Every structure is written in C-alpha cells, then in structure tokens.
Amino acid sequence: MIRTKVDLLWFKRCCAVHLQLFPDRETVSKLCALQDHIERECNGPLLRVPATSLHMTVVTLINAGAQFSMPNDEVWKLNGERWKEIVERLVNETPPIDLSFQEVQASEAAIFVKAAEPPELQRLRSAISDAVWFEDWRPKPPRIAHVTLFRFSAEEWLSAPDVDDGLLPIVGKVKALQLVKEKMYPSVQVDVLGEASCLGASAS
C-alpha cells in the first residue's frame, strides 16, 4: 500500500523546459487502454494525464518549481540557445532507442508504466547532465524510462494496480525527441523549441 501525495501543480501555469518523447498514435492508443483499465480497477483519487500529454521525459533542463536565483524565463533567455545546440547535437549522436514498457508501478506521486533504461538512453542522459549547468545546478535525470499515467488529487492509501497481461508490454523505437517549453503542467500546453533525430553513427 502507498500513501498518495496531492499534485499541487496539476493543470497550473508554469515555465519548464524538457527533452521529451511524445509517443506515436499507436503507442498513445495502447497507453490510453492501460489508463482505462486502471480507472476501472482503482477507486483512488486519480488525475488522468490527457492522451495528448502522455510523454516520456529524457531530461529536465528547467523544472516547474523554483530552483534558481532568477525566474525560469530569464534562465532560458541566458542559456537557451547554447543548451538547445548541445542537446540537439547529443540526440543526433544517439542511435534509435528500443523501449519495452513492461510494468505498471505506483509511487506516492504517480502511477506510471516503466521500461528498463536502455544503455543508449542512459548515455544520452549522462552526456546532457555533464554538458549543461547553471549556478549550482545540473540536470538529474530519472534512472528509468517511464510514462506517467496518473497523478493524485488527494491523500489516500492505494494498492498497486493489477494489469491484464494482454495490455503489456508496450514496445516502440525512439527515433526523435522534442525539446519543449512546458506552459501548463503536466505538459498539457507546450511550445516545441526544437526536434532532433536519433541518428547514431550516421550523424558523424
């Protein structure tokens, strides 16, 4: 059993910058079927991530909470063009990434579907963390590949949801990633700042 935590940012305006994967239509359809199943099985205080907002974050360059000595917009104005060039070059040097989302898990903050972190994704995250910084901050990417399906609207005890075998795994190949400015959480409104293809060896 997990004690859920209220998501105070839900559908609020924000300013954040992320490198994200927005899945293709077929993958989104499978993720939505997974959400439908969890909603039927779980009577907890679920906040469902809209289909158009389903995404996997590779790395967050500027998060929605305050973390700097100046507003997030100012941080991006100072660093954005340089960071964008770095991120797009590193994505271009990364080969296409195979993902297999095998398991649904619950934490105090979310219900999400998880894949093992492939080496290519790990290397990309590590390279961005090494190359991007501001003040005393560097990105701290997640150690897993995951897509958040639900957040929570109240504090309650919640069991991990059971999932039918037929709904998993959800597999796909990451061929491109989007650098986005998030304007409404959780990626409900975004401006696409750039898109880079995973080209691997062909990028050199």
Side-chain angles (χ1 to χ4, degrees):
M1 297 285 284
I2 290 167
R3 182 73 171 176
T4 61
K5 191 164 136 185
V6 178
D7 193 330
L8 299 175
L9 285 173
W10 187 256
F11 267 69
K12 286 192 167 60
R13 304 294 298 179
C14 67
C15 175
V17 178
H18 313 276
L19 181 65
Q20 293 179 332
L21 167 71
F22 286 89
D24 60 30
R25 190 177 301 173
E26 181 182 353
T27 304
V28 168
S29 177
K30 292 176 180 177
L31 291 168
C32 288
L34 196 52
Q35 288 178 309
D36 291 344
H37 173 81
I38 292 168
E39 279 187 324
R40 288 192 298 269
E41 297 295 316
C42 178
N43 60 1
L46 301 181
L47 296 170
R48 179 171 175 155
V49 177
T52 53
S53 304
L54 290 167
H55 64 273
M56 181 189 80
T57 296
V58 173
V59 64
T60 293
L61 301 179
I62 299 175
N63 72 29
Q67 67 192 108
F68 300 116
S69 62
M70 62 181 73
N72 286 355
D73 269 326
E74 295 299 316
V75 175
W76 183 251
K77 281 178 190 171
L78 275 176
N79 299 285
E81 283 307 310
R82 179 171 57 87
W83 287 357
K84 183 171 178 286
E85 287 176 11
I86 290 169
V87 167
E88 289 182 349
R89 174 177 57 79
L90 292 171
V91 172
N92 287 159
E93 292 171 359
T94 301
I97 301 167
D98 290 311
L99 289 176
S100 179
F101 293 97
Q102 305 260 3
E103 183 183 1
V104 171
Q105 290 190 352
S107 70
E108 65 176 8
I111 295 174
F112 54 92
V113 62
K114 169 185 165 185
E117 184 185 45
E120 298 87 355
L121 178 59
Q122 189 175 33
R123 283 193 291 269
L124 175 61
R125 285 171 160 171
S126 179
I128 292 172
S129 294
D130 288 343
V132 168
W133 71 89
F134 183 70
E135 295 180 343
D136 294 327
W137 170 90
R138 286 182 184 273
K140 292 181 181 172
R143 295 284 182 195
I144 57 171
H146 71 283
V147 176
T148 296
L149 304 173
F150 297 94
R151 299 285 185 177
F152 303 117
S153 61
E155 290 187 13
E156 286 186 17
W157 289 103
L158 186 73
S159 299
D162 290 325
V163 176
D164 291 342
D165 290 342
L167 293 171
L168 293 172
I170 298 172
V171 299
K173 189 180 285 285
V174 180
K175 297 178 180 177
L177 294 167
Q178 293 77 38
L179 189 66
V180 302
K181 184 177 183 181
E182 181 185 28
K183 297 160 66 176
M184 183 176 285
Y185 176 92
S187 292
V188 174
Q189 288 182 9
V190 299
D191 288 338
V192 177
L193 303 172
E195 179 169 301
S197 296
C198 298
L199 302 172
S202 62
S204 55

